[in-house]
Amino acid sequence: MVGIPTNWFEDFFHGITLDLWRKAIPKEKTKAEADFLIKVLSCGPGAHVLDVPCGNGRLSFALAKHGYQITGVDLSEEFIYEARSMSTDLAKDQPAVTAGGSDSIRFVLGDMRRIEGESIYDGAYCFGNSFGFMQHVDMEKFLAGVARALKPGSRFILETGMAAESILPDFEEQSSHEIGDIVMTVKERYLATESCIDSEYIFERDGKKESRFAKHWIYTTAEIQRMLERAGFAVLDTYGSLKFEPYKLASEELFVVTEART
Ligand SMILES: C[S@@+](CC[C@H](N)C(=O)[O-])C[C@H]1O[C@@H](n2cnc3c(N)ncnc32)[C@H](O)[C@@H]1O
């Protein structure tokens, strides 16, 4: 696993990795996340919310059903194509979900490092374990872009399963998972001086094997909060689950609720 490029995410998210993600997240989890977001975003129906990175829009659609206007941004052409196709189908089959017109749910092929707009969103969130794909300087660009794009006083909710306090206590160098018809073996190495995990994902399906490589930068919970504060957010709450339990050592997920400062 030598020399994984820092921009690994630019060509990691296609084909089998997307199939894995589609199969890995049960509908019940998406519903529970959407219910949590509705509570903590604290904005009313019709509010314009940014979902970044949105993947195939699983959470965008769940929130649109509650009357939010959604803009989803993602770098994966395949996911954005899928999300746009689903929104076209939805407009035909369930017009109530897209009642605000074609703009009520919109998917943009774009990069987290270059969030566009100024004071246009009433809320934003980054879910699906996507915080930490990029090195510090790029994560800061992402947070600064979200802060700029939000209206002052609106909320940004961050979820990650990769905060140091979540991932390091049970760090495993090798694990195997069966997800639908895909068997995934993950080989990982923690680069202590870089605070970074290098990973090789070996996927096996229908007798075919495929390897992909990724890097994940590990930020402590306090560091994530400092990054958010520096970008212009006030941290309001941290939670360790969708049930609002406190975040503690070895919690599987971290949720940070923030507000864009005025
Ligand atoms: C694990 S998926 C999560 C997607 C979505 N948040 C969810 O919960 O379903 C990670 C997503 O991050 C996207 N991504 C990775 N790097 C990105 C970047 N620099 N800019 C925008 N999207 C990015 C990938 O294309 C992928 O769709």
Side-chain angles (χ1 to χ4, degrees):
M1 263 197 275
V2 276
I4 299 173
T6 53
N7 62 345
W8 62 273
F9 49 83
E10 288 176 10
D11 53 23
F12 181 87
F13 293 100
H14 63 92
I16 196 156
T17 49
L18 304 195
D19 283 347
L20 188 96
W21 187 246
R22 289 181 192 104
K23 289 170 200 274
I25 308 288
K27 282 196 173 66
E28 302 72 47
K29 169 126 173 130
T30 298
K31 186 183 177 315
E33 289 180 337
D35 289 347
F36 175 87
L37 279 168
I38 288 161
K39 283 185 198 139
V40 292
L41 278 168
S42 192
C43 46
H48 189 185
V49 174
L50 172 69
D51 177 356
V52 58
C54 63
N56 63 359
R58 67 180 182 96
L59 281 166
S60 307
F61 289 109
L63 288 186
K65 279 191 190 141
H66 289 267
Y68 293 94
Q69 186 186 334
I70 305 286
T71 293
V73 175
D74 201 282
L75 198 58
S76 162
E77 285 182 22
E78 276 174 56
F79 261 166
I80 289 294
Y81 178 80
E82 180 179 333
R84 284 178 182 159
S85 309
M86 287 198 299
S87 75
T88 310
D89 293 347
L90 209 61
K92 282 186 221 134
D93 302 343
Q94 295 180 47
V97 175
T98 50
S102 57
D103 279 351
S104 69
I105 186 157
R106 188 173 82 93
F107 294 101
V108 178
L109 184 65
D111 196 312
M112 293 163 77
R113 290 166 292 184
R114 288 182 282 280
I115 300 292
E116 290 181 0
E118 207 169 308
S119 292
I120 51 178
Y121 299 106
D122 303 295
Y125 58 91
C126 173
F127 262 51
N129 208 21
S130 309
F131 189 87
F133 289 163
M134 301 180 290
Q135 53 196 328
H136 199 278
V137 62
D138 288 327
M139 287 320 295
E140 291 211 310
K141 271 188 209 160
F142 166 55
L143 295 178
V146 175
R148 193 186 336 100
L150 280 172
K151 293 178 188 162
S154 50
R155 293 193 174 178
F156 172 53
I157 321 299
L158 175 60
E159 176 276 344
T160 178
M162 298 298 278
E165 292 75 12
S166 293
I167 198 80
L168 296 182
D170 295 318
F171 183 71
E172 284 182 308
E173 293 209 324
Q174 184 158 335
S175 60
S176 224
H177 315 265
E178 210 172 313
I179 299 160
D181 57 348
I182 303 173
V183 177
M184 175 178 73
T185 303
V186 190
K187 294 184 183 173
E188 299 196 298
R189 208 158 46 113
Y190 185 62
L191 310 178
T193 55
E194 292 173 45
S195 301
C196 183
I197 295 176
D198 274 4
S199 310
E200 178 180 10
Y201 296 88
I202 303 154
F203 301 104
E204 288 179 76
R205 179 165 60 180
D206 302 333
K208 281 191 216 138
K209 250 189 184 187
E210 194 178 328
S211 266
R212 299 271 173 92
F213 294 89
K215 273 178 116 59
H216 217 114
W217 278 269
I218 304 302
Y219 301 104
T220 66
T221 301
E223 189 180 9
I224 292 171
Q225 292 182 71
R226 283 193 293 269
M227 288 162 83
L228 284 159
E229 296 272 357
R230 267 200 303 275
F233 296 100
V235 174
L236 303 180
D237 282 305
T238 53
Y239 298 109
S241 77
L242 292 168
K243 294 179 180 152
F244 300 93
E245 289 161 316
Y247 183 72
K248 49 187 195 227
L249 190 63
S251 288
E252 281 182 14
E253 285 177 289
L254 166 70
F255 300 86
V256 189
V257 178
T258 76
E259 188 176 272
R261 280 197 295 263
T262 46

